[in-house]
Amino acid sequence: MERLPTSPGEYPEKTDASPEPTYSATASINDQGTVTEWSEGASRLLGYAPSEVVGLPAARLLADGVTDTAWRIPAGQERWSGTVALRHRNGLRLEQAVLAHRWTSTGGTTKWSVVSAVATAFRTPLDDALNEWAFTQSPCLLAIFDAELRLVRANAGMERTLSLTEAEMRGLRLPEIAPDPVSDDAERSMRLTLETGEPQNVHAFVRSPGAGTEKRGWATSLAPLRDSGGRVVAVYLAAHDRTVIEADRREMLLPDHADPVIGTTLDSARTAQELADIAVPRLADFAVVDLLEPSPRGDDSSSRPGAGPVAARRTAARSILAGNTEVEVGVGETTVYPPLSPPVECLAAGRGAVYGRADPGIARWVAQDRGAALISGDGTHSMMVLPLHADGITFGLAFFSRHQHREPFQPEDLWLAEELTTRAAAGIHKARRYTREHTTTMTLQRSLLPHTMPTQAALEIASRYLPAGTGAGVGGDWFDVIPLSGARVALVVGDVVGHGIRATATMGRLRTAVRTLADVDLPPDELLTYLDDLIIHLSADEADQDASAEASGGIGTTCLYVVYDPVTRRCTVARAGHPPPVVVSPEGSVYLLDVPAGPPLGLGGLPFEAAEVELPEGSILTLYTDGLLRARDHDIDDALDNMFEALIRPASTLETVCDRVLTAMLTHPPEDDVALLVARTRALHADQVVVWDLPSDPSVVAQARRYTNDQLTAWGLEEAGFVTELVVSELVTNAIRYGEPPIQLRLIHESENSTLICEVSDASSTAPHMRRARIFDEGGRGLLLVAQLAQRWGTRHAPVGKTIWAEQSLVGF
């Protein structure tokens, strides 16, 4: 068999024996049948020059003259085609195919334009090659499937779109080549074409391999291919890309786009309503959005509902008619879709569908569900049902219908609805995830922050905590009140960088660390140093696990640590990148406490310094996080002035002070978390504290017991004498035996919270350790006895020496 040329360059050059190219012969004839125009091609065909023909009746060119079988065109017909017998100038008879068009000028003049293609008398190799090129190089997707619906031919467009060669696809069915529900639908249509011999049309939007999530719209025609006997032996597939056309249609239907309209808030109900609002009236006459209830576990773990009845909450509705008269189930109510209804099938399949009023599924739904009565009562003739899903999670469904528009929904309308519902589902998914994380974070944070203030006599305290009012999420702000030994109290306020559950978890770890370090009675500057080291280690551990973690381990956290002693009325303060506290004196002056500004925690290598001041009894100490100063309508200096004005105004309680500060400072919901801690200082006077200097002599133990007994009698605490004398005896004995002089005994009576504190100090830095004595040991039971008799006990180190303290509850004495 002779091979056909595959490119124009393979054809032989034209020779004298080569056929002449095809040309056109044209002429114009007016309504009177007179030739008015004559082309060069017409002269070549019949041999007449224009001067010999123009102005003469056209009938003279007919070989048979004007007869009943000649060229006769019915009145009103605009076009005619057929074969006409023409007479050549040399007398030869020519049978020529002719096409005639009636043409009317703007002036009303009518004429016939007659044209005939004069072709060569034989075929050339180019004819077969053109047929092959037309198939392989067509811009459309072309393919041929045999009687078993297996691919036998595919053009370059098909190969390019599917990223497969013809050889790789040959012998495969379409669902095997491109697994997708659309391929299944197309194969069913191809089988119908084989069985009926009727062409079919399929319109769909498909994601091409390697194209990410982008879908392109294809208008596909399926035609039967018949053999010489008329039997259908194959199916011809031709697909046209309609993406650009549908994009233009989208621009026309939705000129302001869905991007800035759907999902504007972190509210799933608002997002659902935005979907309904943008669909009506541009796309549909009526729309409802029903959302499934979130998973009881709160993790949205279910992928798709089953085939049984599905309950959903009507979340949004919109109608072209006033009052949403089509709605049987109101917004906020629950509707139950019966099995096998279009909404349930849509949710189970995970893809949308278009329905007509006569579809059996619609009729079955109307018969089973009162909520579907709207379909039969308002003239609805076309419907679309689409699932709302994102990240493999189904959230609900959207229903669209037309009863005012005459045109039914088309596949391109389904594609547009899919685009809108996809954006809405993404917004609902984000809103639900935010709500779930926000709730989890708030719950965690509430569990970590103090629920009630501890009982202590040093400070009167009030506090407030406000989470951020923006979508940034709950932050890592915290505060704490920690009772220390010797009737002292520590106040802590901190701010972890970032928002969300990570920041809250970091805050919980740091709060625990601060409490642990505070129990060791570290000075404020040393405590911040240890906390700084801890954050450096935590951040290094987290960086190994997640290099992109925001605020890894709490780097950049700020903290303010304050220790107040009601006996000396001295306040020791250290801060790590945190705003200094505000002090209001009893006389009414207000000022920022001058505290050296240490670096934020986690930076390392820089020291922290403490400041110590004496505060008169009744002073108000205010600690806060910087969210209180970050108001959107004024700068920090103005914010401080507003805080000073609110603090300086007289108030009956500290609760009133807190409310007044927040009212003055926050004119809008805060953009960052706000923690506020307000404390009024109290003092323990000389009648509540007594100190004795004791010589380092074992005989002084009995004298210490007498001092203690006499003081308890003076305080009216005789019933606590036995236990207290035992505690004092053991502590003084240990100081004399294992410590170094000078030795000092101090008793503190906190009458407000019924507590008695015994403290014994010496110059040795060696801390005692409680141990379990053996049966025949003569010593080693002193601290064990103290631990059993006291409510709590411990060691407090000083620059020189240490203090062993024991705290007793006087409740019941």
Side-chain angles (χ1 to χ4, degrees):
M1 171 184 264
E2 182 180 356
R3 183 179 69 85
L4 292 176
T6 58
S7 66
E10 294 188 41
Y11 285 107
E13 295 183 2
K14 181 179 176 182
T15 65
D16 293 340
S18 300
E20 294 184 2
T22 301
Y23 63 92
S24 296
T26 61
S28 295
I29 304 171
N30 62 20
D31 278 345
Q32 289 73 39
T34 302
V35 178
T36 58
E37 297 178 23
W38 191 256
S39 71
E40 179 182 352
S43 298
R44 290 176 59 186
L45 176 64
L46 297 181
Y48 296 102
S51 60
E52 296 176 294
V53 177
V54 174
L56 297 178
R60 294 186 181 184
L61 301 175
L62 300 177
D64 300 325
V66 180
T67 65
D68 291 339
T69 59
W71 178 18
R72 292 188 180 277
I73 302 175
Q77 186 167 324
E78 298 294 329
R79 188 180 67 180
W80 182 91
S81 63
T83 302
V84 177
L86 301 175
R87 179 74 63 187
H88 194 275
R89 190 174 186 275
N90 60 14
L92 293 177
R93 177 188 178 91
L94 298 177
E95 296 284 340
Q96 193 70 26
V98 172
L99 176 63
H101 300 273
R102 184 194 296 272
W103 182 81
T104 302
S105 68
T106 56
T109 304
T110 301
K111 69 176 182 179
W112 284 91
S113 176
V114 183
V115 61
S116 178
V118 184
T120 57
F122 55 90
R123 287 171 52 85
T124 70
L126 182 61
D127 296 330
D128 293 331
L130 286 175
N131 290 336
E132 178 68 15
W133 292 341
F135 180 86
T136 59
Q137 300 179 26
S138 171
C140 302
L141 273 64
L142 303 179
I144 298 175
F145 294 83
D146 62 16
E148 295 181 356
L149 300 182
R150 296 188 177 278
L151 186 139
V152 294
R153 290 295 309 275
N155 75 339
M158 190 83 165
E159 294 177 324
R160 184 170 52 253
T161 301
L162 296 180
S163 300
L164 294 169
T165 64
E166 182 185 80
E168 292 171 325
M169 294 185 285
R170 187 177 295 118
L172 299 178
R173 295 169 40 240
L174 184 59
E176 296 170 339
I177 298 171
D180 189 276
V182 173
S183 298
D184 296 329
D185 293 341
E187 188 176 63
R188 283 191 289 269
S189 297
M190 284 194 288
R191 193 173 303 280
L192 190 61
T193 298
L194 279 174
E195 295 172 352
T196 65
E198 297 294 331
Q200 304 291 326
N201 293 311
V202 178
H203 296 269
F205 291 86
V206 184
R207 181 181 63 82
S208 300
T213 59
E214 179 186 3
K215 289 186 176 182
R216 303 192 69 82
W218 297 95
T220 305
S221 298
L222 303 172
L225 293 180
R226 304 176 188 272
D227 59 13
S228 57
R231 185 171 59 93
V232 178
V233 295
V235 176
Y236 182 79
L237 180 150
H240 306 269
D241 190 349
R242 292 177 54 85
T243 306
V244 176
I245 298 174
E246 296 309 324
D248 293 340
R249 185 172 185 272
R250 179 185 185 278
E251 292 284 345
M252 179 183 67
L253 287 175
L254 306 174
D256 48 354
H257 298 287
D259 295 357
V261 177
I262 297 179
T264 59
T265 66
L266 291 172
D267 184 340
S268 57
R270 174 71 177 272
T271 300
Q273 188 61 53
E274 290 169 346
L275 169 61
D277 290 344
I278 198 172
V280 177
R282 295 182 177 96
L283 178 64
D285 298 326
F286 174 67
V288 295
V289 180
D290 296 338
L291 297 184
L292 304 175
E293 292 295 335
S295 168
R297 290 177 293 176
D299 57 359
D300 281 335
S301 58
S302 61
S303 57
R304 294 178 185 171
V310 174
R313 181 177 294 275
R314 180 64 43 83
T315 308
R318 177 68 183 269
S319 173
I320 200 172
L321 303 177
N324 287 349
T325 56
E326 307 97 321
V327 178
E328 292 288 335
V329 178
V331 173
E333 299 179 7
T334 298
T335 182
V336 179
Y337 292 109
L340 303 180
S341 62
V344 173
E345 292 180 342
C346 156
L347 291 172
R351 56 193 177 98
V354 177
Y355 297 90
R357 178 67 182 84
D359 285 348
I362 295 295
R364 185 169 55 247
W365 182 24
V366 171
Q368 294 178 331
D369 185 6
R370 74 175 181 89
L374 59 95
I375 297 175
S376 58
D378 63 353
T380 297
H381 62 87
S382 187
M383 291 143 281
M384 291 190 296
V385 184
L386 298 97
L388 298 172
H389 51 77
D391 291 344
I393 302 169
T394 300
F395 307 104
L397 61 91
F399 174 86
F400 305 97
S401 67
R402 284 181 176 176
H403 51 76
Q404 300 295 313
H405 285 75
R406 295 182 179 179
E407 301 82 5
F409 288 119
Q410 300 298 324
E412 50 265 30
D413 296 314
L414 180 62
W415 172 73
L416 180 59
E418 285 177 346
E419 184 176 354
L420 296 178
T421 54
T422 297
R423 297 185 185 279
I428 292 170
H429 184 33
K430 182 179 179 181
R432 285 191 169 184
R433 185 173 63 245
Y434 168 79
T435 300
R436 183 171 61 250
E437 292 178 357
H438 183 78
T439 301
T440 302
T441 304
M442 286 294 295
T443 302
L444 176 61
Q445 191 172 56
R446 280 194 296 267
S447 70
L448 296 175
L449 292 175
H451 293 193
T452 57
M453 294 300 173
T455 302
Q456 43 79 37
L459 298 168
E460 176 190 355
I461 295 175
S463 64
R464 293 290 185 273
Y465 178 83
L466 295 178
T470 64
V474 178
D477 292 18
W478 91 93
F479 65 89
D480 209 348
V481 178
I482 308 172
L484 302 177
S485 63
R488 297 168 307 131
V489 175
L491 303 179
V492 189
V493 172
D495 184 359
V496 176
V497 175
H499 296 83
I501 196 166
R502 178 186 290 273
T504 302
T506 301
M507 176 269 283
R509 290 193 289 185
L510 295 183
R511 178 174 181 260
T512 301
V514 170
R515 277 188 160 267
T516 302
L517 295 172
D519 283 343
V520 186
D521 262 318
L522 292 178
D525 52 341
E526 290 187 30
L527 183 142
L528 292 181
T529 300
Y530 278 101
L531 200 61
D532 184 57
D533 291 339
L534 173 65
I535 290 180
I536 291 174
H537 291 305
L538 289 176
S539 62
D541 292 342
E542 290 193 8
D544 291 339
Q545 300 173 9
D546 184 3
S548 63
E550 178 184 356
S552 178
I555 291 178
T557 296
T558 65
C559 184
L560 175 66
Y561 188 75
V562 177
V563 175
Y564 175 70
D565 188 343
V567 177
T568 62
R569 296 190 296 278
R570 299 197 68 79
C571 182
T572 307
V573 186
R575 62 187 180 115
H578 202 87
V582 178
V583 176
V584 180
S585 69
E587 296 79 20
S589 60
V590 56
Y591 58 92
L592 288 172
L593 200 59
D594 186 12
V595 182
L601 298 173
L603 301 183
L606 296 174
F608 298 95
E609 298 181 50
E612 185 173 333
V613 296
E614 183 174 339
L615 296 179
E617 183 178 6
S619 298
I620 294 178
L621 192 63
T622 303
L623 288 70
Y624 52 91
T625 56
D626 60 357
L628 188 65
L629 304 179
R630 292 182 178 178
R632 68 183 69 175
D633 51 359
H634 50 244
D635 58 24
I636 292 181
D637 290 337
D638 293 336
L640 287 173
D641 290 340
N642 291 339
M643 182 190 297
F644 288 175
E645 292 177 4
L647 289 171
I648 204 171
R649 291 170 55 190
S652 57
T653 65
L654 293 185
E655 299 292 335
T656 302
V657 174
C658 289
D659 293 338
R660 185 179 294 164
V661 170
L662 294 181
T663 301
M665 302 291 291
L666 303 177
T667 57
H668 302 84
E671 297 180 354
D672 194 6
D673 288 16
V674 173
L676 177 65
L677 191 61
V678 180
R680 178 182 284 121
T681 61
R682 296 168 177 160
L684 292 177
H685 301 285
D687 59 345
Q688 295 176 278
V689 181
V690 60
V691 179
W692 295 281
D693 293 322
L694 303 176
S696 181
D697 185 347
S699 62
V700 81
V701 175
Q703 185 178 358
R705 287 198 296 266
R706 287 195 299 271
Y707 289 157
T708 301
N709 186 60
D710 293 344
Q711 187 61 49
L712 292 180
T713 301
W715 284 337
L717 301 176
E718 293 89 345
E719 295 182 3
F722 177 74
V723 172
T724 306
E725 286 185 24
L726 284 177
V727 171
V728 169
S729 178
E730 292 298 331
L731 295 182
V732 172
T733 299
N734 280 345
I736 295 172
R737 181 176 298 178
Y738 303 108
E740 297 178 4
I743 299 173
Q744 189 178 76
L745 170 63
R746 184 170 74 162
L747 298 181
I748 302 174
H749 178 209
E750 291 183 305
S751 56
E752 291 189 10
N753 59 344
S754 301
T755 300
L756 178 66
I757 301 172
C758 303
E759 294 184 345
V760 176
S761 303
D762 69 85
S764 172
S765 298
T766 303
H769 297 283
M770 185 172 59
R771 64 183 179 88
R772 185 177 298 276
R774 295 181 176 87
I775 296 177
F776 298 105
D777 288 349
E778 295 183 0
R781 298 178 178 83
L783 288 180
L784 180 62
L785 182 62
V786 171
Q788 296 299 316
L789 296 176
Q791 186 177 16
R792 61 189 189 117
W793 75 280
T795 303
R796 180 175 71 249
H797 287 273
V800 177
K802 65 179 181 297
T803 300
I804 312 298
W805 56 270
E807 188 174 297
Q808 301 170 243
S809 173
L810 299 177
V811 177
F813 288 103

